[in-house]
Amino acid sequence: MNMQLNGRPAKANVLRVDGLSKQFEMHHLKRTLYAFENLDFEVNAGEFILLKGENGAGKSTLLRTLYRSYLPRAGHIYYRTAEGVIDLASAADVDISVLRRREIGFVTQFLNARPRVAAEEVVAEPLRLAGTPHAEALNEARRWLAAFGVKRQLWPAYPSTFSGGEQQKVNLARALILPQRLLLLDEPTASLDRDARQALVDRLAQLKDAGVAMIGVFHHPEDVQHLVDREIYLKAIKIEDGEDDVAE
Ligand SMILES: Nc1ncnc2c1ncn2[C@@H]1O[C@H](COP(=O)(O)OP(=O)(O)OP(=O)(O)O)[C@@H](O)[C@H]1O
Ligand SMILES: [Mg+2]
């Protein structure tokens, strides 16, 4: 990987966000929408950060920016790998793909189900990409599907036909099957029943113990309160067109 080393002495942080800003240019409205501005924070190994704020405050946008689905307008996202520090804000797409495959995970409440791929294969895929033999990966996938309460008869079926909650369980099993170094969670419990929520919280506790750094938005924050080390509040956005600024 082509790393950008920033020359700072080693520290335990996995992520150091420095002056991060994101805005959306709404050309058709001639407006700029500021999702967040000048954010600074750090996340260490094994730390769990709860992201809070009103609807529209920019929580999902921040997570997507950290995952580099969005490019920030300004700032740095220093991510520490075993080989050095890489700025996710300016890293090459090819490096981002490698990191996403190996160490940065993102869980949303929506499953991007590919047509005609069985649930157990969807879940096993991250392990297979990491080199685990097929039969072993499939066994592990079934174990996770069971842990999240997906009925056995659904394992060989296509998730595109599943209910919203069932799809979400497949999504979680896939996202959590391979321990990541950094896990981004965007309301992963929103459509889950109580047992599945508990299974998720148990898994997050294990991952925290294993040193995974996590940043998440939770629909039921009380579920994870015992895991939270710090909270970050995002304030609602401002819309700027020179006249009717809306700042909350
Ligand atoms: N791709 C985009 N283009 C333009 N505006 C966007 C885009 N994505 C998000 N926004 C705007 O940015 C603001 C923040 O949205 P975001 O989804 O990050 O909020 P949120 O804090 O996750 O809200 P919620 O609690 O409802 O999930 C919203 O006003 C939204 O309309
Ligand atoms: Mg959101």
Side-chain angles (χ1 to χ4, degrees), residues 24 33 35 54-61 64 70 187 237:
F24 295 106
L33 194 152
E54 310 280 298
N55 294 132
K59 304 180 297 295
S60 297
T61 302
R64 289 193 192 120
Y70 291 152
E187 303 204 37
I237 47 119

Side-chain angles (χ1 to χ4, degrees), residues 99-126:
L99 290 173
R100 286 179 178 185
R101 207 158 54 236
R102 293 191 191 152
E103 36 189 289
I104 303 180
F106 192 9
V107 201
T108 68
Q109 51 179 301
F110 306 106
L111 177 69
N112 247 337
R114 275 166 302 143
R116 292 180 298 284
V117 181
E120 58 195 15
E121 297 289 353
V122 169
V123 175
E125 189 180 56

